[in-house]
Amino acid sequence: ILLRSRSLPVLRLLGSREVPHLGLHGTLRYHLFLSHIWSSGQDQTANIKRKLQLLVPGAQIFLDVDDLEEIGNLEQYVKNSQCVLIFLSKGYFFSANCLRELDCTLENKVPLVLVHEDDPTKGGAPLADLRADCASKGRTLFAIEHDIITWHRVSDFQLVSLKAIAQAMVHCMPAYSSVKSPPQIYVPGEVGLQKLEYRSPVRVLVSSHNPGAAALIEELKAQQPPDPHFKLLRRFPDEGQLISRSQQPPGMMSRDSPFGFRAFLLNAPRISLNRARSPGAAHLPTHMALYLNQHSFVGETGQKLADDVTVARNRGFEVVLLHETDTQRDGCAFGRFFQTTPQELIDDGLYKTIAVACHPKRFRTVSLALAAKAFGATEEGKGLRACVRNRRTRRRSSKAFNVEETIVALPCTASSTAEHDRRAPGTPAPGAGGVAPRGAGAADGPVGAIATSPSAVELEPLEIEEFRAAGAIPRYRRGMLTARVTKGAAPQTPPRSPPRSPPRAQDASDPTKVIV
């Protein structure tokens, strides 16, 4: 149990980095009471209980399916709780038992926390509809302004929801209830607290026909420390930087056509652009930010945005989808974009990549951090450690010999390979060509062909001299020889001198095998 608990993220206080001190007032039994309607909130509250008990080990949380013994004592369970969570989902205010729990909470002035399910496919309902349902039952829950927590299912956002619930629960405990503001808490490793950095240049292109895109990227830049690798580009690169005349496929629309350069690019087939060797590569975008809200792909401006996205995808720029969900920032449901986006882009796989959700309020920090990671940011120090780890892995793997991957580059043919297999160990190969390892299969080809060894290979000193004379540069890996690929004609093999090594014995079981 101790080993398992170490691997789980445990909620801690931000100042002292210690686990919150759990406590109960008087004779209370539960730190938190979960009030919900079975039809639309049972699964969510069960998930909340399970994960809260992992984040706050030892917390006593009441859930009816686990702790209810007598339905008639429902109010007593509420009175024995230090805090009450009301899970707002469809039909909550039409449940008699839910109203009993709500009335008992308000009458006894038990601290409460409101959690809202807004996904209609998961039993959620708009907050306006829930307010109207509450008023129709004569309840005054919303008469006082409450901080309503939205419930999310994506792990990074769900952790923010759980932190807000846990913060309200911890604030009711005896050690912290006397403080007016709730204690600041955190979970080690959470995305919102990570320090991110860009280890390579990132140049993000935004379209002038995509309202709000530039403002969101500026918000992202303000969220992170200044990074010289991250730049915002507000205009498309010049024509010469995107495509040269040598790259223009035959029959493609000319750039001098009356349709203009945009039509020239839209009709260009998609190519893989080698930015490292292209002129002006240091100024080419690496990504394009596509900000999705209720104005995306609507009207004439939306058509121009679709053209810009097509150009960016044809040029090989990675398109990062940023979906705005805040209604105050013109956010909307993601399903709307399948109605407004041109079908050509949908068929071409624009929405095959997962969009980064840009949620408001307490979730905004996590949204910006995920957006930064989508553009290539990594946690500070993690990228360097990964490079060192990969280098060490490659070093270790290079020491371990893999027969299937051993290659020898030398001027060889199938006939010379067969001749080499027939001759006795130590016998010079006829002609000036090189030799292939025993057991290797190589097709007839020009000088510089590659012979792959499918089995263990043992090379004699004379054979090594042949490799060197042929221009191959040998390297040893645990007694086995590999060589780099050499280009050009192989030099003539110089006269060989007798081997200077002492006499070697032959293996009795295999006469062709020489024991070195």
Side-chain angles (χ1 to χ4, degrees), residues 162-489:
L162 292 169
K163 277 179 53 184
I165 298 171
Q167 188 178 41
M169 181 180 68
V170 171
H171 192 207
C172 297
M173 296 178 183
Y176 313 101
S177 58
S178 59
V179 183
K180 182 177 180 180
S181 59
Q184 298 298 316
I185 58 179
Y186 76 99
V187 177
E190 62 177 298
V191 176
L193 296 180
Q194 293 179 0
K195 295 182 179 180
L196 303 178
E197 63 178 355
Y198 299 92
R199 296 191 57 82
S200 59
V202 175
R203 295 174 291 274
V204 180
L205 174 68
V206 296
S207 171
S208 59
H209 307 104
N210 190 190
L216 181 61
I217 300 302
E218 292 290 354
E219 185 182 1
L220 173 61
K221 292 177 61 178
Q223 176 73 20
Q224 304 295 335
D227 195 323
H229 289 103
F230 189 89
K231 294 183 179 180
L232 171 62
L233 304 180
R234 298 175 181 269
R235 59 184 296 270
F236 272 78
D238 295 334
E239 172 185 352
Q241 293 177 323
L242 283 176
I243 189 169
S244 62
R245 287 187 179 274
S246 61
Q247 294 173 312
Q248 180 174 339
M252 192 173 69
M253 181 181 294
S254 171
R255 60 177 181 176
D256 299 326
S257 66
F259 298 99
F261 180 57
R262 177 180 298 275
F264 165 71
L265 288 178
L266 287 175
N267 287 270
R270 186 169 299 175
I271 61 173
S272 177
L273 185 63
N274 187 353
R275 297 186 179 91
R277 299 181 180 180
S278 300
H283 305 286
L284 285 177
T286 58
H287 300 76
M288 178 181 181
L290 178 56
Y291 184 55
L292 299 172
N293 55 19
Q294 63 180 359
H295 302 297
S296 302
F297 303 113
V298 176
E300 183 179 355
T301 303
Q303 182 58 48
K304 293 180 180 179
L305 173 61
D307 294 345
D308 290 341
V309 173
T310 303
V311 170
R313 287 168 60 83
N314 285 346
R315 296 308 98 203
F317 306 148
E318 182 180 351
V319 178
V320 176
L321 306 178
L322 305 171
H323 172 217
E324 184 60 71
T325 62
D326 188 0
T327 55
Q328 296 183 358
R329 305 188 188 203
D330 299 327
C332 60
F334 194 84
R336 170 185 171 86
F337 306 124
F338 289 97
Q339 302 174 0
T340 59
T341 306
Q343 191 62 38
E344 295 80 6
L345 287 176
I346 298 177
D347 296 339
D348 198 32
L350 176 62
Y351 294 133
K352 285 185 178 180
T353 57
I354 299 177
V356 177
C358 300
H359 296 301
K361 299 181 181 179
R362 58 170 59 91
F363 304 96
R364 197 70 174 183
T365 302
V366 175
S367 295
L368 296 177
L370 294 178
K373 288 189 173 186
F375 288 119
T378 57
E379 190 175 355
E380 188 175 306
K382 286 292 183 66
L384 180 60
R385 288 196 292 269
C387 291
V388 174
R389 183 169 59 252
N390 292 338
R391 186 176 301 174
R392 290 175 179 173
T393 303
R394 290 194 300 268
R395 190 178 301 158
R396 288 195 297 267
S397 63
S398 65
K399 293 180 181 179
F401 176 71
N402 187 348
V403 176
E404 297 295 332
E405 296 178 357
T406 302
I407 61 172
V408 179
L410 69 160
C412 62
T413 62
S415 58
S416 63
T417 303
E419 178 65 26
H420 179 273
D421 291 337
R422 287 193 299 270
R423 66 188 177 90
T427 306
V435 296
R438 280 186 289 276
D444 293 329
V447 173
I450 296 179
T452 304
S453 172
S455 59
V457 179
E458 293 177 294
L459 297 177
E460 303 169 356
L462 285 179
E463 294 172 334
I464 297 175
E465 292 296 332
E466 288 179 325
F467 280 115
R468 289 174 177 169
I473 304 175
R475 297 195 308 271
Y476 282 97
R477 290 290 182 267
R478 292 196 176 185
M480 309 306 292
L481 180 70
T482 60
R484 297 188 181 95
V485 178
T486 57
K487 297 181 180 180

Side-chain angles (χ1 to χ4, degrees), residues 54-199:
L54 294 177
L55 289 173
V56 189
Q60 300 297 320
I61 302 176
F62 177 91
L63 183 63
D64 51 6
V65 295
D66 298 332
D67 306 290
L68 182 62
E69 297 178 357
E70 177 59 46
I71 190 67
N73 298 330
L74 192 59
E75 288 81 1
Q76 190 61 38
Y77 287 109
V78 175
K79 294 178 182 179
N80 288 334
S81 301
Q82 201 162 243
C83 182
V84 174
L85 182 149
I86 296 180
F87 193 82
L88 299 172
S89 59
K90 186 177 180 179
Y92 178 86
F93 295 101
F94 297 98
S95 169
N97 291 329
C98 289
L99 293 180
R100 289 173 59 189
E101 297 166 356
L102 176 61
D103 293 339
C104 184
T105 301
L106 297 177
E107 290 174 4
N108 292 274
K109 297 182 179 179
V110 181
L112 56 83
V113 55
L114 304 182
V115 179
H116 175 221
E117 174 62 84
D118 64 348
D119 188 350
T121 63
K122 304 295 183 180
L127 197 56
D129 295 349
L130 293 172
R131 291 178 184 271
D133 294 342
C134 180
S136 67
K137 294 297 180 178
R139 301 309 192 269
T140 59
L141 175 63
F142 297 103
I144 302 175
E145 191 66 25
H146 294 281
D147 183 18
I148 301 177
I149 304 168
T150 304
W151 178 247
H152 288 280
R153 285 169 177 79
V154 178
S155 59
D156 292 318
F157 297 112
Q158 188 179 92
L159 182 59
V160 179
S161 302
L162 292 169
K163 277 179 53 184
I165 298 171
Q167 188 178 41
M169 181 180 68
V170 171
H171 192 207
C172 297
M173 296 178 183
Y176 313 101
S177 58
S178 59
V179 183
K180 182 177 180 180
S181 59
Q184 298 298 316
I185 58 179
Y186 76 99
V187 177
E190 62 177 298
V191 176
L193 296 180
Q194 293 179 0
K195 295 182 179 180
L196 303 178
E197 63 178 355
Y198 299 92
R199 296 191 57 82

Side-chain angles (χ1 to χ4, degrees), residues 3-52:
L3 292 177
R4 178 175 175 81
S5 63
R6 288 182 182 178
S7 63
L8 296 175
V10 178
L11 186 141
R12 298 180 180 274
L13 298 173
L14 188 59
S16 62
R17 298 186 179 182
E18 296 180 354
V19 177
H21 177 70
L22 302 183
L24 289 168
H25 289 279
T27 59
L28 300 181
R29 294 180 53 190
Y30 302 103
H31 294 100
L32 186 65
F33 180 98
L34 300 179
S35 175
H36 66 285
I37 181 172
W38 279 28
S39 61
S40 59
Q42 180 66 38
D43 295 340
Q44 296 91 318
T45 51
N47 195 15
I48 290 174
K49 177 180 179 178
R50 179 174 60 88
K51 294 189 175 180
L52 276 180

